[in-house]
Amino acid sequence: MSKLLAVGSIAFDEIETPFGKTGKILGGAATFIGLAASQFKIDIGVVSVVGEDMPQEYLDILKDRGIDISGVEIIKGGKTFYWKGKYHNDLNSRDTLITELNTLGDFDPVVPDNYKDADIVMLGNLHPSIQLSVIAQMEKKPKLIVLDTMNFWMDNTWDELMEVIGKIDVITINDEEARQLTEEYSLVAAAEKIQEMGPRYVVIKKGEHGALLFHEDKVFFAPALPLREVFDPTGAGDTFAGGFAGFITEARNISFESMKNGIIQGSNLASFCVERFGIERMLSLEKSEIDERLHQFKELTQFNIELS
Ligand code: AMP
């Protein structure tokens, strides 16, 4: 089986939406990436760090889905990364109320030996120097390195971010972040500039308005499925990235055409993620539901126009 290595946070999240609030629940980018990618027939290993306060049954959720967590370090006496967020009424924007880095603050990632030859590497949103360290530990050049990042790193660690962006193949960022990164309003112009920084493929996420894939002079657009029920968008971006990376890993095909399907698979999985708090919906997700929604995606985007 093809191998995917994912690095990212494993967290306690506390979430408030217009529909209610949670206590501390399992979250983190690596958790969402792992759960999404585990829907594909691949080997997946996660590199992360948690404190001793992380219940074993939370880690078992990942293990039970076939995710190799031997790269998840448990720091004795340490506390797990904690994030609290509150969504506005439109659910499109949120305020971060609390970020306690805890063990993530001095995370020194160690890639397990059996993942140093992973085919695909998914670098979840983290300090760019952690992402660089993971790339440096790979013994075989991965076929594809996918990077997710956010405005926080643009504001605070610009030089390291530029260094890691120069070493990767695919970047996934949201529209506002693409504009901040390039100082371009047009997303087409922004994607061109980002490609000049390094990545050959640029994925710009537009939340409930879908995602764009740019490569050279080609562009592809995947809508987000119009959903009746959007409950909690936390982790949608990571689920999208995990679905994308998981699909490409299974397909063993790195081409624009293959990535189009990857974008659809990522969007499809993200559409489930937002239906419940945190990871809840991803845990009950059945293969038949995934397939059914892929049909809906096809219906949504197909039309028969007569062209001369
Ligand atoms: P998303 O909604 O896809 O942007 O991702 C939300 C997840 O990102 C939550 O589960 C958080 O635990 C995690 N997260 C938030 N801020 C950070 C950060 N600074 N570093 C790493 N992970 C974070």
Side-chain angles (χ1 to χ4, degrees), residues 101-131:
L101 286 179
N102 299 328
T103 48
L104 203 60
D106 30 39
F107 178 33
D108 189 9
V110 179
V111 177
D113 285 343
N114 54 338
Y115 280 90
K116 286 182 175 163
D117 61 352
D119 301 281
I120 313 279
V121 175
M122 173 74 233
L123 301 169
N125 170 33
L126 277 178
H127 195 299
S129 66
I130 299 176
Q131 297 174 321

PDB file of all heavy atoms in Angstrom, residues 101-131:
ATOM      1  N   LEU A 101      -0.371  26.616  23.644  1.00  0.00           N
ATOM      2  CA  LEU A 101       0.468  25.689  22.871  1.00  0.00           C
ATOM      3  C   LEU A 101       0.876  24.470  23.700  1.00  0.00           C
ATOM      4  O   LEU A 101       0.962  23.362  23.192  1.00  0.00           O
ATOM      5  CB  LEU A 101       1.721  26.404  22.370  1.00  0.00           C
ATOM      6  CG  LEU A 101       1.507  27.376  21.213  1.00  0.00           C
ATOM      7  CD1 LEU A 101       2.823  28.039  20.836  1.00  0.00           C
ATOM      8  CD2 LEU A 101       0.905  26.693  19.994  1.00  0.00           C
ATOM      9  N   ASN A 102       1.174  24.696  24.977  1.00  0.00           N
ATOM     10  CA  ASN A 102       1.609  23.608  25.873  1.00  0.00           C
ATOM     11  C   ASN A 102       2.697  22.763  25.203  1.00  0.00           C
ATOM     12  O   ASN A 102       3.678  23.315  24.737  1.00  0.00           O
ATOM     13  CB  ASN A 102       0.413  22.784  26.331  1.00  0.00           C
ATOM     14  CG  ASN A 102      -0.590  23.651  27.119  1.00  0.00           C
ATOM     15  OD1 ASN A 102      -0.184  24.587  27.791  1.00  0.00           O
ATOM     16  ND2 ASN A 102      -1.877  23.365  27.019  1.00  0.00           N
ATOM     17  N   THR A 103       2.486  21.440  25.097  1.00  0.00           N
ATOM     18  CA  THR A 103       3.564  20.583  24.551  1.00  0.00           C
ATOM     19  C   THR A 103       3.896  20.900  23.090  1.00  0.00           C
ATOM     20  O   THR A 103       4.975  20.562  22.615  1.00  0.00           O
ATOM     21  CB  THR A 103       3.181  19.090  24.636  1.00  0.00           C
ATOM     22  OG1 THR A 103       1.856  18.944  24.116  1.00  0.00           O
ATOM     23  CG2 THR A 103       3.229  18.581  26.053  1.00  0.00           C
ATOM     24  N   LEU A 104       2.957  21.546  22.384  1.00  0.00           N
ATOM     25  CA  LEU A 104       3.216  21.890  20.981  1.00  0.00           C
ATOM     26  C   LEU A 104       4.260  23.009  20.882  1.00  0.00           C
ATOM     27  O   LEU A 104       4.902  23.176  19.846  1.00  0.00           O
ATOM     28  CB  LEU A 104       1.903  22.321  20.315  1.00  0.00           C
ATOM     29  CG  LEU A 104       1.781  22.216  18.802  1.00  0.00           C
ATOM     30  CD1 LEU A 104       1.969  20.782  18.329  1.00  0.00           C
ATOM     31  CD2 LEU A 104       0.418  22.736  18.351  1.00  0.00           C
ATOM     32  N   GLY A 105       4.418  23.751  21.984  1.00  0.00           N
ATOM     33  CA  GLY A 105       5.317  24.906  22.018  1.00  0.00           C
ATOM     34  C   GLY A 105       6.754  24.552  21.715  1.00  0.00           C
ATOM     35  O   GLY A 105       7.448  25.273  21.010  1.00  0.00           O
ATOM     36  N   ASP A 106       7.224  23.415  22.264  1.00  0.00           N
ATOM     37  CA  ASP A 106       8.600  23.015  21.911  1.00  0.00           C
ATOM     38  C   ASP A 106       8.614  21.622  21.287  1.00  0.00           C
ATOM     39  O   ASP A 106       9.421  20.768  21.635  1.00  0.00           O
ATOM     40  CB  ASP A 106       9.581  23.132  23.083  1.00  0.00           C
ATOM     41  CG  ASP A 106       8.922  22.921  24.421  1.00  0.00           C
ATOM     42  OD1 ASP A 106       8.043  22.014  24.480  1.00  0.00           O
ATOM     43  OD2 ASP A 106       9.241  23.630  25.371  1.00  0.00           O
ATOM     44  N   PHE A 107       7.709  21.466  20.369  1.00  0.00           N
ATOM     45  CA  PHE A 107       7.580  20.192  19.648  1.00  0.00           C
ATOM     46  C   PHE A 107       8.761  19.997  18.696  1.00  0.00           C
ATOM     47  O   PHE A 107       9.018  20.819  17.832  1.00  0.00           O
ATOM     48  CB  PHE A 107       6.255  20.223  18.872  1.00  0.00           C
ATOM     49  CG  PHE A 107       5.977  19.015  18.025  1.00  0.00           C
ATOM     50  CD1 PHE A 107       6.395  17.746  18.394  1.00  0.00           C
ATOM     51  CD2 PHE A 107       5.249  19.152  16.837  1.00  0.00           C
ATOM     52  CE1 PHE A 107       6.109  16.636  17.605  1.00  0.00           C
ATOM     53  CE2 PHE A 107       4.960  18.058  16.048  1.00  0.00           C
ATOM     54  CZ  PHE A 107       5.395  16.803  16.424  1.00  0.00           C
ATOM     55  N   ASP A 108       9.463  18.874  18.898  1.00  0.00           N
ATOM     56  CA  ASP A 108      10.573  18.521  18.025  1.00  0.00           C
ATOM     57  C   ASP A 108      10.163  17.206  17.342  1.00  0.00           C
ATOM     58  O   ASP A 108      10.341  16.133  17.915  1.00  0.00           O
ATOM     59  CB  ASP A 108      11.833  18.349  18.902  1.00  0.00           C
ATOM     60  CG  ASP A 108      13.072  18.199  18.061  1.00  0.00           C
ATOM     61  OD1 ASP A 108      12.984  18.408  16.830  1.00  0.00           O
ATOM     62  OD2 ASP A 108      14.120  17.859  18.633  1.00  0.00           O
ATOM     63  N   PRO A 109       9.586  17.283  16.152  1.00  0.00           N
ATOM     64  CA  PRO A 109       8.983  16.085  15.566  1.00  0.00           C
ATOM     65  C   PRO A 109      10.013  15.013  15.220  1.00  0.00           C
ATOM     66  O   PRO A 109      11.114  15.339  14.769  1.00  0.00           O
ATOM     67  CB  PRO A 109       8.332  16.621  14.278  1.00  0.00           C
ATOM     68  CG  PRO A 109       9.137  17.809  13.917  1.00  0.00           C
ATOM     69  CD  PRO A 109       9.578  18.433  15.216  1.00  0.00           C
ATOM     70  N   VAL A 110       9.648  13.766  15.461  1.00  0.00           N
ATOM     71  CA  VAL A 110      10.525  12.648  15.084  1.00  0.00           C
ATOM     72  C   VAL A 110       9.733  11.743  14.144  1.00  0.00           C
ATOM     73  O   VAL A 110       8.716  11.163  14.536  1.00  0.00           O
ATOM     74  CB  VAL A 110      11.001  11.855  16.326  1.00  0.00           C
ATOM     75  CG1 VAL A 110      11.886  10.681  15.901  1.00  0.00           C
ATOM     76  CG2 VAL A 110      11.744  12.768  17.302  1.00  0.00           C
ATOM     77  N   VAL A 111      10.180  11.657  12.902  1.00  0.00           N
ATOM     78  CA  VAL A 111       9.500  10.806  11.923  1.00  0.00           C
ATOM     79  C   VAL A 111       9.926   9.360  12.169  1.00  0.00           C
ATOM     80  O   VAL A 111      11.124   9.055  12.153  1.00  0.00           O
ATOM     81  CB  VAL A 111       9.863  11.236  10.474  1.00  0.00           C
ATOM     82  CG1 VAL A 111       9.216  10.305   9.452  1.00  0.00           C
ATOM     83  CG2 VAL A 111       9.470  12.695  10.227  1.00  0.00           C
ATOM     84  N   PRO A 112       8.969   8.444  12.421  1.00  0.00           N
ATOM     85  CA  PRO A 112       9.356   7.038  12.634  1.00  0.00           C
ATOM     86  C   PRO A 112      10.076   6.488  11.394  1.00  0.00           C
ATOM     87  O   PRO A 112       9.763   6.883  10.270  1.00  0.00           O
ATOM     88  CB  PRO A 112       8.005   6.327  12.827  1.00  0.00           C
ATOM     89  CG  PRO A 112       7.019   7.395  13.157  1.00  0.00           C
ATOM     90  CD  PRO A 112       7.519   8.649  12.507  1.00  0.00           C
ATOM     91  N   ASP A 113      11.038   5.561  11.632  1.00  0.00           N
ATOM     92  CA  ASP A 113      11.855   5.040  10.525  1.00  0.00           C
ATOM     93  C   ASP A 113      11.011   4.529   9.361  1.00  0.00           C
ATOM     94  O   ASP A 113      11.347   4.744   8.207  1.00  0.00           O
ATOM     95  CB  ASP A 113      12.755   3.902  11.046  1.00  0.00           C
ATOM     96  CG  ASP A 113      13.915   4.478  11.854  1.00  0.00           C
ATOM     97  OD1 ASP A 113      14.168   5.697  11.706  1.00  0.00           O
ATOM     98  OD2 ASP A 113      14.534   3.725  12.631  1.00  0.00           O
ATOM     99  N   ASN A 114       9.894   3.837   9.705  1.00  0.00           N
ATOM    100  CA  ASN A 114       9.112   3.226   8.620  1.00  0.00           C
ATOM    101  C   ASN A 114       8.257   4.231   7.838  1.00  0.00           C
ATOM    102  O   ASN A 114       7.536   3.849   6.930  1.00  0.00           O
ATOM    103  CB  ASN A 114       8.241   2.079   9.152  1.00  0.00           C
ATOM    104  CG  ASN A 114       7.361   2.496  10.299  1.00  0.00           C
ATOM    105  OD1 ASN A 114       7.643   3.488  10.976  1.00  0.00           O
ATOM    106  ND2 ASN A 114       6.268   1.784  10.520  1.00  0.00           N
ATOM    107  N   TYR A 115       8.335   5.511   8.193  1.00  0.00           N
ATOM    108  CA  TYR A 115       7.630   6.532   7.392  1.00  0.00           C
ATOM    109  C   TYR A 115       8.604   7.514   6.731  1.00  0.00           C
ATOM    110  O   TYR A 115       8.173   8.476   6.105  1.00  0.00           O
ATOM    111  CB  TYR A 115       6.576   7.263   8.238  1.00  0.00           C
ATOM    112  CG  TYR A 115       5.314   6.417   8.348  1.00  0.00           C
ATOM    113  CD1 TYR A 115       5.162   5.509   9.382  1.00  0.00           C
ATOM    114  CD2 TYR A 115       4.320   6.479   7.374  1.00  0.00           C
ATOM    115  CE1 TYR A 115       4.052   4.685   9.450  1.00  0.00           C
ATOM    116  CE2 TYR A 115       3.204   5.670   7.431  1.00  0.00           C
ATOM    117  CZ  TYR A 115       3.073   4.782   8.468  1.00  0.00           C
ATOM    118  OH  TYR A 115       1.972   3.960   8.528  1.00  0.00           O
ATOM    119  N   LYS A 116       9.908   7.208   6.869  1.00  0.00           N
ATOM    120  CA  LYS A 116      10.898   8.108   6.252  1.00  0.00           C
ATOM    121  C   LYS A 116      10.947   7.948   4.735  1.00  0.00           C
ATOM    122  O   LYS A 116      11.645   8.679   4.047  1.00  0.00           O
ATOM    123  CB  LYS A 116      12.292   7.870   6.857  1.00  0.00           C
ATOM    124  CG  LYS A 116      12.392   8.453   8.261  1.00  0.00           C
ATOM    125  CD  LYS A 116      13.756   8.280   8.870  1.00  0.00           C
ATOM    126  CE  LYS A 116      13.801   8.992  10.224  1.00  0.00           C
ATOM    127  NZ  LYS A 116      14.917   8.566  11.044  1.00  0.00           N
ATOM    128  N   ASP A 117      10.214   6.928   4.244  1.00  0.00           N
ATOM    129  CA  ASP A 117      10.143   6.729   2.788  1.00  0.00           C
ATOM    130  C   ASP A 117       8.703   6.913   2.306  1.00  0.00           C
ATOM    131  O   ASP A 117       8.309   6.368   1.268  1.00  0.00           O
ATOM    132  CB  ASP A 117      10.647   5.327   2.414  1.00  0.00           C
ATOM    133  CG  ASP A 117       9.794   4.240   3.055  1.00  0.00           C
ATOM    134  OD1 ASP A 117       8.925   4.563   3.907  1.00  0.00           O
ATOM    135  OD2 ASP A 117       9.969   3.061   2.699  1.00  0.00           O
ATOM    136  N   ALA A 118       7.901   7.668   3.058  1.00  0.00           N
ATOM    137  CA  ALA A 118       6.483   7.853   2.686  1.00  0.00           C
ATOM    138  C   ALA A 118       6.384   8.438   1.271  1.00  0.00           C
ATOM    139  O   ALA A 118       7.225   9.236   0.857  1.00  0.00           O
ATOM    140  CB  ALA A 118       5.800   8.775   3.687  1.00  0.00           C
ATOM    141  N   ASP A 119       5.346   8.014   0.552  1.00  0.00           N
ATOM    142  CA  ASP A 119       5.156   8.494  -0.824  1.00  0.00           C
ATOM    143  C   ASP A 119       4.698   9.947  -0.826  1.00  0.00           C
ATOM    144  O   ASP A 119       5.147  10.752  -1.628  1.00  0.00           O
ATOM    145  CB  ASP A 119       4.092   7.633  -1.522  1.00  0.00           C
ATOM    146  CG  ASP A 119       4.507   6.179  -1.535  1.00  0.00           C
ATOM    147  OD1 ASP A 119       5.328   5.830  -2.382  1.00  0.00           O
ATOM    148  OD2 ASP A 119       4.037   5.412  -0.657  1.00  0.00           O
ATOM    149  N   ILE A 120       3.766  10.224   0.087  1.00  0.00           N
ATOM    150  CA  ILE A 120       3.195  11.570   0.153  1.00  0.00           C
ATOM    151  C   ILE A 120       3.347  12.095   1.583  1.00  0.00           C
ATOM    152  O   ILE A 120       3.159  11.343   2.543  1.00  0.00           O
ATOM    153  CB  ILE A 120       1.680  11.559  -0.215  1.00  0.00           C
ATOM    154  CG1 ILE A 120       1.412  10.747  -1.493  1.00  0.00           C
ATOM    155  CG2 ILE A 120       1.100  12.967  -0.278  1.00  0.00           C
ATOM    156  CD1 ILE A 120       1.651  11.423  -2.791  1.00  0.00           C
ATOM    157  N   VAL A 121       3.662  13.358   1.720  1.00  0.00           N
ATOM    158  CA  VAL A 121       3.765  13.975   3.048  1.00  0.00           C
ATOM    159  C   VAL A 121       2.748  15.111   3.127  1.00  0.00           C
ATOM    160  O   VAL A 121       2.701  15.971   2.252  1.00  0.00           O
ATOM    161  CB  VAL A 121       5.190  14.507   3.313  1.00  0.00           C
ATOM    162  CG1 VAL A 121       5.250  15.260   4.640  1.00  0.00           C
ATOM    163  CG2 VAL A 121       6.200  13.358   3.313  1.00  0.00           C
ATOM    164  N   MET A 122       1.955  15.085   4.192  1.00  0.00           N
ATOM    165  CA  MET A 122       0.973  16.149   4.425  1.00  0.00           C
ATOM    166  C   MET A 122       1.406  16.943   5.657  1.00  0.00           C
ATOM    167  O   MET A 122       1.379  16.430   6.778  1.00  0.00           O
ATOM    168  CB  MET A 122      -0.410  15.505   4.644  1.00  0.00           C
ATOM    169  CG  MET A 122      -1.525  16.448   5.072  1.00  0.00           C
ATOM    170  SD  MET A 122      -2.111  17.506   3.753  1.00  0.00           S
ATOM    171  CE  MET A 122      -1.957  19.129   4.516  1.00  0.00           C
ATOM    172  N   LEU A 123       1.844  18.173   5.425  1.00  0.00           N
ATOM    173  CA  LEU A 123       2.300  19.021   6.526  1.00  0.00           C
ATOM    174  C   LEU A 123       1.121  19.871   6.997  1.00  0.00           C
ATOM    175  O   LEU A 123       0.750  20.853   6.341  1.00  0.00           O
ATOM    176  CB  LEU A 123       3.444  19.923   6.050  1.00  0.00           C
ATOM    177  CG  LEU A 123       4.683  19.204   5.499  1.00  0.00           C
ATOM    178  CD1 LEU A 123       5.626  20.200   4.826  1.00  0.00           C
ATOM    179  CD2 LEU A 123       5.413  18.449   6.607  1.00  0.00           C
ATOM    180  N   GLY A 124       0.525  19.492   8.116  1.00  0.00           N
ATOM    181  CA  GLY A 124      -0.604  20.249   8.664  1.00  0.00           C
ATOM    182  C   GLY A 124      -0.139  21.592   9.199  1.00  0.00           C
ATOM    183  O   GLY A 124       1.058  21.811   9.423  1.00  0.00           O
ATOM    184  N   ASN A 125      -1.095  22.466   9.406  1.00  0.00           N
ATOM    185  CA  ASN A 125      -0.838  23.818   9.881  1.00  0.00           C
ATOM    186  C   ASN A 125      -0.079  23.823  11.215  1.00  0.00           C
ATOM    187  O   ASN A 125      -0.648  23.490  12.247  1.00  0.00           O
ATOM    188  CB  ASN A 125      -2.202  24.514  10.015  1.00  0.00           C
ATOM    189  CG  ASN A 125      -2.104  25.827  10.710  1.00  0.00           C
ATOM    190  OD1 ASN A 125      -1.108  26.542  10.587  1.00  0.00           O
ATOM    191  ND2 ASN A 125      -3.138  26.153  11.480  1.00  0.00           N
ATOM    192  N   LEU A 126       1.194  24.198  11.163  1.00  0.00           N
ATOM    193  CA  LEU A 126       2.073  24.226  12.352  1.00  0.00           C
ATOM    194  C   LEU A 126       3.161  25.258  12.095  1.00  0.00           C
ATOM    195  O   LEU A 126       3.294  25.752  10.974  1.00  0.00           O
ATOM    196  CB  LEU A 126       2.772  22.870  12.512  1.00  0.00           C
ATOM    197  CG  LEU A 126       2.057  21.715  13.199  1.00  0.00           C
ATOM    198  CD1 LEU A 126       2.963  20.491  13.157  1.00  0.00           C
ATOM    199  CD2 LEU A 126       1.708  22.041  14.646  1.00  0.00           C
ATOM    200  N   HIS A 127       3.985  25.506  13.094  1.00  0.00           N
ATOM    201  CA  HIS A 127       5.145  26.374  12.929  1.00  0.00           C
ATOM    202  C   HIS A 127       5.968  25.866  11.730  1.00  0.00           C
ATOM    203  O   HIS A 127       6.296  24.681  11.658  1.00  0.00           O
ATOM    204  CB  HIS A 127       5.991  26.332  14.210  1.00  0.00           C
ATOM    205  CG  HIS A 127       7.003  27.435  14.286  1.00  0.00           C
ATOM    206  ND1 HIS A 127       8.006  27.566  13.355  1.00  0.00           N
ATOM    207  CD2 HIS A 127       7.159  28.446  15.167  1.00  0.00           C
ATOM    208  CE1 HIS A 127       8.751  28.619  13.671  1.00  0.00           C
ATOM    209  NE2 HIS A 127       8.248  29.177  14.758  1.00  0.00           N
ATOM    210  N   PRO A 128       6.325  26.759  10.774  1.00  0.00           N
ATOM    211  CA  PRO A 128       7.054  26.290   9.593  1.00  0.00           C
ATOM    212  C   PRO A 128       8.382  25.595   9.906  1.00  0.00           C
ATOM    213  O   PRO A 128       8.821  24.741   9.137  1.00  0.00           O
ATOM    214  CB  PRO A 128       7.285  27.562   8.772  1.00  0.00           C
ATOM    215  CG  PRO A 128       6.655  28.684   9.492  1.00  0.00           C
ATOM    216  CD  PRO A 128       5.944  28.181  10.692  1.00  0.00           C
ATOM    217  N   SER A 129       8.999  25.900  11.034  1.00  0.00           N
ATOM    218  CA  SER A 129      10.265  25.216  11.319  1.00  0.00           C
ATOM    219  C   SER A 129      10.008  23.741  11.670  1.00  0.00           C
ATOM    220  O   SER A 129      10.866  22.877  11.425  1.00  0.00           O
ATOM    221  CB  SER A 129      11.041  25.925  12.431  1.00  0.00           C
ATOM    222  OG  SER A 129      10.337  25.837  13.627  1.00  0.00           O
ATOM    223  N   ILE A 130       8.834  23.440  12.218  1.00  0.00           N
ATOM    224  CA  ILE A 130       8.478  22.030  12.476  1.00  0.00           C
ATOM    225  C   ILE A 130       8.249  21.328  11.131  1.00  0.00           C
ATOM    226  O   ILE A 130       8.700  20.201  10.906  1.00  0.00           O
ATOM    227  CB  ILE A 130       7.207  21.939  13.364  1.00  0.00           C
ATOM    228  CG1 ILE A 130       7.453  22.602  14.723  1.00  0.00           C
ATOM    229  CG2 ILE A 130       6.776  20.487  13.532  1.00  0.00           C
ATOM    230  CD1 ILE A 130       6.232  22.656  15.637  1.00  0.00           C
ATOM    231  N   GLN A 131       7.580  22.042  10.218  1.00  0.00           N
ATOM    232  CA  GLN A 131       7.329  21.460   8.895  1.00  0.00           C
ATOM    233  C   GLN A 131       8.654  21.198   8.169  1.00  0.00           C
ATOM    234  O   GLN A 131       8.841  20.156   7.545  1.00  0.00           O
ATOM    235  CB  GLN A 131       6.433  22.413   8.089  1.00  0.00           C
ATOM    236  CG  GLN A 131       5.052  22.610   8.741  1.00  0.00           C
ATOM    237  CD  GLN A 131       4.201  23.664   8.038  1.00  0.00           C
ATOM    238  OE1 GLN A 131       4.705  24.693   7.605  1.00  0.00           O
ATOM    239  NE2 GLN A 131       2.903  23.416   7.943  1.00  0.00           N
TER     240      GLN A 131
END
